[in-house]
């Protein structure tokens, strides 16, 4: 099974740059401050609350991400790990408020990330922001995102219980009209109503997580009928206590109901996970068959922003592996 998972040409479509900072860089940089195996990175650690998780993530990530060069250093290692796992396409988001924290324009951060992309890996870069940022001091920057040529799209993330600002739908529609992909975190720490809001009001077809939509069959049907993709992160969902265990995860039920689900790592800095680990956990703890794992890989390529020939080649490779 490990060999099969490794051989699958995979995509990663839900990954936060700051949350994917390779922890070994921190340990090498300041070993006195960053111990080699802190408790929060251990497999049995569970974050008490989302704010607790966010605090640990930011306390570890923000001291590193102070310049574009630091984004380059981190993503170079991050992308090398993707290549080692036969990941060939990545969608990753950087935290837009960082541009204010370190006084560096977003396009410079994007350029640094792009410079780290190795040959053989396709990468699309998104700007992530809190639900409240559209009404705050970041608004002038947000109103210029449509002009950032190397920006693939945008994402709403952070504390899900925050109200969605009234102007978000108009901003998201404007960005889609400019060719940007719009995403939204929903159905993780809040219920299926937030998934419905993201689909019907914000107009997104890419939901980050979405797993709690399983609590409302009508929302699951809505997602399936609208062709919405859930970019799911099973290990993250367990470590953040969204679900009790991988065995209880609703990904199979969502897929059986017609919802396209991809699998990603979310924040490896905090979970010490890799994409192959996500596939392996589904196989070991949820008894995913090779055909089901192949379908997960196929789902990622179906929504990847790549040339049709690249997509077809990857799908053909997956089909051949599944057939064997």
């Amino acid at each position: 099974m490990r060999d099969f998972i490794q051989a699958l040409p995979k995509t990663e479509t839900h990954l936060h740059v700051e949350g994917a900072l390779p922890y070994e860089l921190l340990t090498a940089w300041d070993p006195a401050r960053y111990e080699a195996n802190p408790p929060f990175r251990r497999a049995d650690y569970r974050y008490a609350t989302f704010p607790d998780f966010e605090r640990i993530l930011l306390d570890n990530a923000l001291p590193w991400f102070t310049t574009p060069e630091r984004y380059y250093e981190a993503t170079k290692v991050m992308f090398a790990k993707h290549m080692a796992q036969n990941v060939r396409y990545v969608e990753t988001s950087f935290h837009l408020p960082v541009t204010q924290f370190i006084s560096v324009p977003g396009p410079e951060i994007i350029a640094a990330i792009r410079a780290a992309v190795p040959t053989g890996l396709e990468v699309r870069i998104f700007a992530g922001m809190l639900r409240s940022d559209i009404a705050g001091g970041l608004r002038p920057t947000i109103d210029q995102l449509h002009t950032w040529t190397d920006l693939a799209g945008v994402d709403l993330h952070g504390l899900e219980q925050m109200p969605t600002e009234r102007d978000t739908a108009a901003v998201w529609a404007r960005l889609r009209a400019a060719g940007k992909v719009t995403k939204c975190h929903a159905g993780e720490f809040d219920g299926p109503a937030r998934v419905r809001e993201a689909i019907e009001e914000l107009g997104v077809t890419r939901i980050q997580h979405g797993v709690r939509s399983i609590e409302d069959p009508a929302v699951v049907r809505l997602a399936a009928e609208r062709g919405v993709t859930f970019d799911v992160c099973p290990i993250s969902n367990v470590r953040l206590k969204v679900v009790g265990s991988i065995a209880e995860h609703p990904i199979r039920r969502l897929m059986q109901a017609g919802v396209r689900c991809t699998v990603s790592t979310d924040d490896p800095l905090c979970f010490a996970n890799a994409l192959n680990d996500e596939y392996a956990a589904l196989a070991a703890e949820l008894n995913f068959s090779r055909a089901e794992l192949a379908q997960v890989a196929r789902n990622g390529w179906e929504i990847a922003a790549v040339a049709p020939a690249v997509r077809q080649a990857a799908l053909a490779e997956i089909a051949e592996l599944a057939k064997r």
Side-chain angles (χ1 to χ4, degrees), residues 98-281:
V98 172
T99 60
Q100 292 186 333
F101 301 163
I102 64 176
S103 300
V104 173
E108 291 187 24
I109 292 175
I110 294 171
I113 297 170
R114 290 223 61 80
V117 178
T119 301
L121 183 67
E122 292 275 355
V123 174
R124 304 290 178 262
I125 302 167
F126 289 68
M129 65 200 78
L130 304 177
R131 292 174 185 269
S132 56
D133 285 335
I134 284 176
L138 267 178
R139 183 57 184 267
T141 300
I142 293 169
D143 284 342
Q144 293 300 312
L145 292 178
H146 67 284
T147 68
W148 294 8
T149 54
D150 284 334
L151 183 72
V154 292
D155 179 25
L156 281 184
H157 61 212
L159 186 62
E160 193 179 341
Q161 285 88 347
M162 274 186 180
T164 303
E165 294 293 334
R166 185 169 51 187
D167 203 25
T168 305
V171 172
W172 255 223
R174 197 156 58 239
L175 285 163
R176 280 195 297 274
K180 307 300 185 185
V181 176
T182 55
K183 298 183 179 182
C184 181
H185 279 59
E188 182 189 18
F189 285 95
D190 211 341
R194 298 313 291 269
V195 177
R196 181 180 291 279
E197 174 197 55
I199 297 171
E200 294 186 335
E201 298 181 27
L202 300 186
V204 305
T205 58
R206 298 288 301 283
I207 299 288
Q208 308 297 274
H209 296 296
V211 294
R212 287 192 57 189
S213 63
I214 200 69
E215 297 168 17
D216 186 344
V219 174
V220 174
R221 285 196 300 272
L222 174 69
E225 290 167 0
R226 297 282 184 93
V228 173
T229 297
F230 288 177
D231 294 312
V232 178
C233 306
I235 291 174
S236 167
N237 294 157
V238 172
R239 297 287 302 279
L240 288 168
K241 300 193 294 187
V242 176
V243 298
S245 67
I246 296 292
E248 301 168 55
H249 200 282
I251 183 172
R252 174 183 279 123
R253 286 175 284 158
L254 289 167
M255 291 172 62
Q256 289 174 339
V259 178
R260 181 189 294 114
C261 293
T262 67
V263 166
S264 297
T265 57
D266 201 2
D267 296 286
L269 169 63
C270 292
F271 308 130
N273 55 334
L275 191 60
N276 281 359
D277 296 334
E278 302 284 345
Y279 278 75

